[in-house]
Amino acid sequence: MCMMLGRVLHLILTPDDPMYKVVFKMLFVKPELNLETVPMMQRLFYSSNLQNKSERAWLLQLMIDGLRDKHDFYIYNQQSHVFKTLLSFFNTYVCDRKIQGMIIQLLEKVIMLPGATLKLLQTHSLLSWIEGQVMTSSLNEELLARLCNLTELLAKSASLSMKSLADEEARQILDQLAAVRSTVKK
């Protein structure tokens, strides 16, 4: 939230920025700002403006920079449904390589947060999603390498987080992770 306010303050000083008009138009629609959601998520992400790609990129960069702790993760995950939205958007025809890279970058950052890895694995089936991207997408080598790196980060983070799970559940997740890692490396 602080990151968003900082970016808005920066926009005040740069009225020639393409995001100036868009952001201020959205901010002045309501008399208050909800601090428990990702501001402007729905309006910027699903914008029909001609510059919608730059709006999505601006919002994603804001989310990447603003993700700092598990409270931010809670807001992204529970309140704003960011991961549900981004994972389903990743393989659409309107999602370009730049946005795909930013989505992977956000996932890499999330995985570094304690407890977030298991939530992504259990709630959003992140391993199945990665495997699906590798099997069906026409990703370039750079994005495939980043997905491979993402599975390595998941393996490290998941093994540290497994202590809180029952042995059978932990074994199932680790087995699925091993299968996805072998698929990604092919």
Side-chain angles (χ1 to χ4, degrees):
M1 190 43 90
C2 289
M3 185 65 65
M4 192 276 300
L5 293 175
R7 297 271 167 90
V8 169
L9 288 174
H10 183 284
L11 284 176
I12 289 173
L13 301 172
T14 55
D16 57 326
D17 189 305
M19 292 303 296
Y20 179 87
K21 188 176 181 180
V22 175
V23 169
F24 281 99
K25 182 179 176 184
M26 288 181 199
L27 282 178
F28 292 128
V29 168
K30 295 182 181 178
E32 59 188 28
L33 188 62
N34 184 353
L35 301 177
E36 292 298 317
T37 64
V38 175
M40 304 174 287
M41 171 71 185
Q42 298 299 320
R43 290 191 176 170
L44 283 179
F45 201 79
Y46 297 114
S47 172
S48 60
N49 288 343
L50 294 175
Q51 60 190 31
N52 62 6
K53 287 183 181 184
S54 62
E55 292 173 7
R56 273 191 209 108
W58 186 86
L59 179 66
L60 273 167
Q61 193 59 55
L62 177 66
M63 289 190 289
I64 291 166
D65 296 341
L67 183 67
R68 305 239 181 231
D69 56 26
K70 58 184 173 182
H71 179 68
D72 294 329
F73 174 73
Y74 172 77
I75 290 172
Y76 287 19
N77 191 45
Q78 297 296 112
Q79 301 299 97
S80 300
H81 308 289
V82 167
F83 301 108
K84 183 179 179 181
T85 301
L86 294 180
L87 294 178
S88 61
F89 181 74
F90 187 88
N91 208 21
T92 64
Y93 71 94
V94 292
C95 186
D96 61 14
R97 300 284 188 229
K98 177 183 177 184
I99 298 295
Q100 287 176 330
M102 293 176 86
I103 292 170
I104 293 171
Q105 184 180 358
L106 181 62
L107 291 172
E108 290 168 345
K109 193 163 182 182
V110 168
I111 289 169
M112 298 300 154
L113 296 175
T117 300
L118 287 179
K119 198 72 164 165
L120 286 175
L121 291 172
Q122 294 170 327
T123 308
H124 299 290
S125 302
L126 187 60
L127 289 175
S128 298
W129 178 83
I130 292 171
E131 187 173 26
Q133 298 311 310
V134 171
M135 300 300 282
T136 61
S137 292
S138 58
L139 299 176
N140 62 21
E141 287 185 33
E142 178 194 349
L143 289 174
L144 283 172
R146 290 186 68 190
L147 282 175
C148 185
N149 183 50
L150 188 62
T151 59
E152 296 300 322
L153 291 172
L154 272 170
K156 291 174 188 171
S157 181
S159 64
L160 295 174
S161 302
M162 292 295 174
K163 295 174 183 147
S164 65
L165 294 178
D167 288 340
E168 183 60 30
E169 190 177 7
R171 191 171 23 262
Q172 287 175 349
I173 290 174
L174 289 174
D175 288 347
Q176 186 182 12
L177 182 58
V180 170
R181 285 172 72 188
S182 67
T183 302
V184 170
K185 287 183 179 181
K186 290 179 186 176

